[in-house]
Amino acid sequence: DIQMTQSPSSLSASVGDRVTITCRASQSISSYLSWYQQKPGKAPKVLMYAASSLQSGVPSRFSGSASGTDFTLTISSLQPEDFATYYCQQSYSTPLTFGGGTKVEIK
Amino acid sequence: EVQLVESGGGLVQPGGSLRLSCAASGFTFSSYWMHWVRQAPGKGLVWVSRINSDGSSITYADSVKGRFTISRDNAKNTLYLQMNSLRAEDTAVYYCARLGEYTYGHPPGFDYWGQGTLVTVSS
């Protein structure tokens, strides 16, 4: 199984901050990497797919990048509605696997 | 408008069975691969199973293999998850999710999710 190691597990940030979340795959997954945002009591929402493609309707302050087996989600200027938990997910091979999540909290 | 609506969750005793349904609308259901993902209370997301567009290809997580069965009825626009021999560790919110389409060769993510249905396995 491909392990997805996400870091940090939590972070505190202020509105306007630049936030970076990292996900490392245990083996090559090409660009089969998606990022999701989940708010309490709600279903996840896709932000990025194919590592760096912005899902339609998602604000452009979200961006994704890849370098080998390392993937990054960046929020360029954190907004109040961005406080949530973020997950990466690989779809390169089954079983599909998610990272452990990063909870972004208000500082 | 694309909608996925799960139903069928509830309280069941260990060893019992439950069938979840996911009613799809607003898109051509028969064209999409569908997945089940679960989330135990306070925990992260865990993939459970997937089925291709015509139901001919199915894959399960090892943790549910032999106990859960995914299926779909494209005439009824509905995805199912039959869960047998339920265990306490199967307690979770179960989401159905649609795998998006490849665009310009880029692999998609889960572009639509249901609201989830809670399954509680307890005596």
Side-chain angles (χ1 to χ4, degrees):
Chain A
D1 297 3
I2 297 174
Q3 309 302 317
M4 304 301 295
T5 303
Q6 192 173 335
S7 62
S9 57
S10 66
L11 65 89
S12 294
S14 301
V15 172
D17 284 353
R18 182 182 182 88
V19 169
T20 298
I21 300 168
T22 298
C23 200
R24 173 169 288 174
S26 60
Q27 64 187 75
S28 174
I29 60 170
S30 185
S31 63
Y32 286 74
L33 192 283
S34 299
W35 289 98
Y36 300 89
Q37 176 194 67
Q38 188 180 33
K39 297 182 179 180
K42 300 294 187 182
K45 169 189 170 185
V46 65
L47 302 174
M48 311 292 304
Y49 65 96
S52 59
S53 296
L54 189 69
Q55 182 74 15
S56 176
V58 174
S60 59
R61 62 180 179 273
F62 291 93
S63 64
S65 64
S67 176
T69 58
D70 291 339
F71 300 85
T72 299
L73 174 71
T74 299
I75 310 172
S76 60
S77 177
L78 198 66
Q79 297 301 300
E81 59 268 31
D82 300 336
F83 292 95
T85 300
Y86 294 83
Y87 295 92
C88 62
Q89 178 236 333
Q90 67 83 17
S91 57
Y92 183 77
S93 66
T94 56
L96 307 190
T97 45
F98 291 85
T102 296
K103 187 173 184 179
V104 177
E105 299 175 301
I106 302 172
K107 181 182 283 185
Chain B
E1 178 195 6
V2 171
Q3 281 198 313
L4 297 172
V5 179
E6 299 99 336
S7 60
L11 176 63
V12 61
Q13 292 188 338
S17 298
L18 217 51
R19 187 176 85 154
L20 305 183
S21 298
C22 170
S25 61
F27 66 102
T28 305
F29 180 69
S30 59
S31 296
Y32 289 84
W33 291 52
M34 297 296 297
H35 295 244
W36 288 99
V37 175
R38 69 184 181 184
Q39 186 170 36
K43 302 297 185 182
L45 300 168
V46 176
W47 175 79
V48 173
S49 181
R50 73 172 182 191
I51 186 168
N52 71 339
S53 55
D54 67 5
S56 62
S57 177
I58 286 172
T59 313
Y60 299 99
D62 284 347
S63 59
V64 307
K65 201 174 296 182
R67 301 187 300 123
F68 288 14
T69 302
I70 190 173
S71 63
R72 65 191 297 161
D73 186 333
N74 285 343
K76 294 183 177 180
N77 292 336
T78 304
L79 174 72
Y80 302 100
L81 186 67
Q82 176 67 44
M83 303 187 296
N84 298 331
S85 303
L86 282 161
R87 306 166 180 166
E89 54 265 34
D90 295 320
T91 294
V93 173
Y94 285 74
Y95 295 101
C96 62
R98 186 183 88 166
L99 184 67
E101 297 181 54
Y102 277 77
T103 53
Y104 304 107
H106 294 162
F110 295 142
D111 59 354
Y112 286 94
W113 297 65
Q115 84 286 356
T117 187
L118 176 62
V119 172
T120 303
V121 184
S122 174
S123 55

